[in-house]
Amino acid sequence: MSITKESELEGMKKISEVVATTLKMMRAYAKAGMSTKELDNYGGAILKSYGAKSAPYETYKFPGYSCISINQEAAHGIPSEKKILKEGDLINIDVSAELNGFWSDNGGSFVLGKDIHNHQPLVDASKEILKKAIQNIKGGVLISEIGFLIETEAKKSGYKVIKNLAGHGVGRSLHEKPENILNYRVKTNRERFKKNTTVAIETFISTHSTIAVGLKDGWTLVGNKGGFVTQHEHTILITDNAPVILTAANEIWN
């Protein structure tokens, strides 16, 4: 979305704070023994309290308020009464929503309780790579260069990237142009980030896989070669200098 007036920026700030606060509260609420459906219902109630609507449900009729992916699930995990959280689980929560015609998106992976399976290094790599990527985005920067940065940093940490999941424009709908803010460089892509636009930047950092493939449920994605994937995401406003992080209230970097 291109921000052309103050009311549009205010609209984006408001919905971004809603999804960020929801993500932060869901992360704090998650406990071992809880089902992912209970966690999702909690997040849905927070969105409702602000008058916001779940973006995946509104856009795709996704069976949940948020996407909650556990362990080997890479993305788009369906909340379920049958999925019970356990100590040491690698959890990803992705919250996106609409309010007053504005849409925002954010997400984050974390370890539940003690890191008994040593997932934290992968989580930390994803967070730090997202931070570095965002710090390098401003009007005029090639989108492919940010993809190159993300993949280069992942390799330095001993990891891979998922190549068929991407960040995207956001604002007047959940997914807008630019549609493919990828985690690797496509040299033929000469598209540049534009000043005063809002985009969702997300990392998909992986231990083994490079492609996300769908399960039979029609939603859940897993890595093509197994292993684990972490994702972190912020919605930002691009400027001539450092971007404005609209979803900073999620505190994924804290």
Side-chain angles (χ1 to χ4, degrees):
M1 168 181 182
S2 184
I3 302 288
T4 58
K5 51 192 176 186
E6 190 62 32
S7 61
E8 291 173 335
L9 180 56
E10 286 308 308
M12 281 304 293
K13 282 181 175 177
K14 195 166 186 181
I15 183 55
S16 295
E17 187 164 1
V18 169
V19 295
T21 301
T22 303
L23 175 59
K24 179 186 170 184
M25 290 175 72
M26 286 178 74
R27 199 173 59 227
Y29 188 73
K31 298 286 183 291
M34 176 186 293
S35 73
T36 59
K37 184 65 182 162
E38 183 184 343
L39 180 57
D40 183 57
N41 285 341
Y42 174 75
I46 298 167
L47 292 177
K48 197 172 182 181
S49 74
Y50 286 105
K53 294 177 181 175
S54 159
Y57 178 77
E58 291 295 314
T59 306
Y60 304 113
K61 292 291 180 273
F62 177 77
Y65 299 106
S66 60
C67 300
I68 304 176
S69 308
I70 304 175
N71 296 324
Q72 276 84 6
E73 297 172 350
H76 304 164
I78 301 172
S80 169
E81 298 283 6
K82 294 176 182 175
K83 289 184 190 169
I84 306 300
L85 301 179
K86 298 186 291 293
E87 184 87 8
D89 274 352
L90 177 63
I91 303 172
N92 177 269
I93 303 174
D94 194 314
V95 181
S96 53
E98 177 273 335
L99 180 66
N100 300 326
F102 296 96
W103 303 66
S104 188
D105 194 357
N106 72 159
S109 297
F110 62 99
V111 177
L112 187 65
K114 291 179 183 171
D115 184 27
I116 53 181
H117 306 299
N118 196 35
H119 293 310
Q120 196 62 47
L122 182 65
V123 171
D124 291 343
S126 176
K127 281 196 233 185
E128 288 307 309
I129 293 167
L130 179 65
K131 186 182 280 186
K132 191 166 274 192
I134 287 175
Q135 285 170 346
N136 280 275
I137 294 172
K138 59 184 175 183
V141 170
L142 282 166
I143 288 174
S144 62
E145 287 304 308
I146 297 302
F148 180 68
L149 184 155
I150 291 170
E151 186 174 35
T152 301
E153 291 298 319
K155 284 178 178 174
K156 275 188 202 170
S157 301
Y159 299 120
K160 304 174 189 297
V161 298
I162 299 293
K163 295 194 169 186
N164 62 331
L165 294 175
H168 50 89
V170 67
R172 284 299 189 182
S173 61
L174 179 58
H175 290 104
E176 299 178 340
K177 291 182 178 180
E179 286 158 3
N180 285 318
I181 304 173
L182 295 161
N183 281 205
Y184 70 107
R185 177 164 61 184
V186 177
K187 288 182 181 176
T188 53
N189 180 13
R190 308 307 294 166
E191 195 172 4
R192 296 176 186 273
F193 287 105
K194 293 176 183 170
K195 181 185 173 183
N196 295 333
T197 61
T198 47
V199 296
I201 304 295
E202 46 192 322
T203 50
F204 292 97
I205 310 302
S206 163
T207 57
H208 292 75
S209 297
T210 55
I211 301 291
V213 294
L215 297 183
K216 287 179 184 174
D217 64 22
W219 295 104
T220 309
L221 299 173
V222 297
N224 63 328
K225 294 182 179 176
F228 299 91
V229 178
T230 49
Q231 177 257 20
H232 289 86
E233 175 182 23
H234 270 305
T235 290
I236 65 172
L237 170 68
I238 297 168
T239 73
D240 278 333
N241 299 299
V244 178
I245 300 169
L246 299 172
T247 47
N250 65 29
E251 297 183 6
I252 58 174
W253 287 330
N254 287 15

